[in-house]
Amino acid sequence: MKKIWLPPGEWQDWRNTSNVIVGPKILTMENLQLSDSFVFVNKSTIIPTQQDVVMMSSKNQTTMTMNVTETGEKKYPLIDPVVWIMFPSNSNSEMKELSGELFEDDGVTMDYRKNENSGIHTIIRATSTSTKIICHVNSMIGSGLSMETRKTLPSHRRHWFKMVDIVEKDNNNNIQYVECDGKQLDEQKIGKSDRVEKMMMGNDEGYWIDEQEPNSLFINCGYKAVQSFSNNNEKMNFEVVVKFMS
């Protein structure tokens, strides 16, 4: 038997998204197996994730394949695509605020310990009501990055969104429209296997409801610029809007 204490707030079971627990509360877990583990996410949190990364080892070091281009040149290891997982709620009229952040250093040096601006810092904030979800994504290139390192930054990268449990059961038409930077996206009818292929295709913008997760909304905003060759502290900003049927 194991007891888990959850602080005040709404907590989503990461592995069973239909299970939401309101804290403070002590959970008692019984009949556990060695393989059992529990992950609870505060519903006001937006979590950045990425696709699987293949590691390559040598005698001297271990590096991620995503750090090297097809021509063998080193590049800054930005997550691409970055997938923002969020748990908004459109079940009542009260506004809910969500936020998350992602810091990406060069993956090699210890510069992030010397200078808090030695990396790419992305902040995402969202508001959710019964009629609309609005997300603002703001990225900043740290002034502590050397010009040599900045030249290894890619020009663009992809942003995906997974909004859990916002599609009404047996009513996939409660989504009126989805916008990214003011552009309305087309709905795509795809299944789980197609979703993986489209993730790798890149700038195939759109939104869809996955057959395997019918209550979640997936959004592909395509490539967004990583502005890396102008002044210090450049920002990359864009907005995502989901409007529900009244």
Side-chain angles (χ1 to χ4, degrees):
M1 183 177 70
K2 185 177 183 63
K3 291 188 177 182
I4 301 174
W5 180 73
L6 295 178
E10 288 186 293
W11 296 89
Q12 188 99 33
D13 188 333
W14 182 260
R15 295 183 174 86
N16 179 11
T17 57
S18 63
N19 185 23
V20 179
I21 301 169
V22 179
K25 188 171 185 178
I26 296 177
L27 304 180
T28 301
M29 306 297 185
E30 298 180 335
N31 301 319
L32 299 178
Q33 305 297 321
L34 288 176
S35 58
D36 290 339
S37 61
F38 304 94
V39 179
F40 296 95
V41 180
N42 192 290
K43 288 197 67 174
S44 64
T45 301
I46 302 175
I47 301 177
T49 63
Q50 68 179 63
Q51 64 191 65
D52 293 339
V53 176
V54 178
M55 305 297 289
M56 296 182 63
S57 299
S58 66
K59 292 182 179 179
N60 299 323
Q61 61 180 356
T62 300
T63 58
M64 292 187 294
T65 55
M66 60 189 288
N67 292 1
V68 182
T69 64
E70 293 180 356
T71 59
E73 298 176 311
K74 291 183 178 180
K75 66 176 182 177
Y76 199 94
L78 288 184
I79 296 175
D80 184 14
V82 56
V83 183
W84 301 98
I85 299 180
M86 54 194 297
F87 305 90
S89 175
N90 62 336
S91 59
N92 56 60
S93 59
E94 295 182 4
M95 186 176 72
K96 178 181 178 182
E97 295 184 347
L98 307 91
S99 63
E101 59 183 308
L102 171 65
F103 179 81
E104 298 164 281
D105 66 355
D106 60 18
V108 178
T109 70
M110 304 297 285
D111 286 352
Y112 73 94
R113 290 188 173 183
K114 304 174 185 176
N115 189 332
E116 63 180 5
N117 292 322
S118 295
I120 311 298
H121 190 198
T122 304
I123 297 176
I124 178 171
R125 301 188 188 281
T127 57
S128 173
T129 67
S130 60
T131 59
K132 185 180 290 187
I133 298 172
I134 303 177
C135 301
H136 298 275
V137 180
N138 303 289
S139 291
M140 180 178 292
I141 300 172
S143 58
L145 288 182
S146 67
M147 186 54 65
E148 180 181 358
T149 300
R150 292 158 68 87
K151 289 181 179 179
T152 66
L153 287 168
S155 61
H156 296 76
R157 73 154 154 194
R158 294 162 291 178
H159 287 263
W160 282 51
F161 298 81
K162 177 182 176 181
M163 300 183 180
V164 178
D165 203 26
I166 68 167
V167 179
E168 294 179 358
K169 295 181 179 179
D170 303 321
N171 180 19
N172 292 350
N173 296 320
N174 70 313
I175 306 297
Q176 183 173 343
Y177 64 79
V178 177
E179 288 184 348
C180 186
D181 256 358
K183 174 186 176 182
Q184 285 201 16
L185 304 182
D186 294 330
E187 182 178 4
Q188 302 176 12
K189 302 293 185 180
I190 59 177
K192 184 177 181 180
S193 58
D194 296 326
R195 176 164 61 91
V196 176
E197 293 178 2
K198 286 185 176 293
M199 179 179 287
M200 301 306 296
M201 288 173 64
N203 200 30
D204 192 7
E205 300 174 354
Y207 72 94
W208 64 93
I209 292 89
D210 195 302
E211 291 180 356
Q212 301 297 317
E213 300 180 65
N215 297 329
S216 295
L217 177 68
F218 291 82
I219 303 171
N220 178 1
C221 278
Y223 283 102
K224 296 300 176 186
V226 178
Q227 302 175 30
S228 57
F229 300 108
S230 54
N231 298 325
N232 288 342
N233 295 327
E234 312 89 323
K235 291 184 177 180
M236 184 275 291
N237 310 320
F238 67 94
E239 180 180 87
V240 177
V241 177
V242 178
K243 181 69 170 63
F244 301 102
M245 294 288 189
S246 302

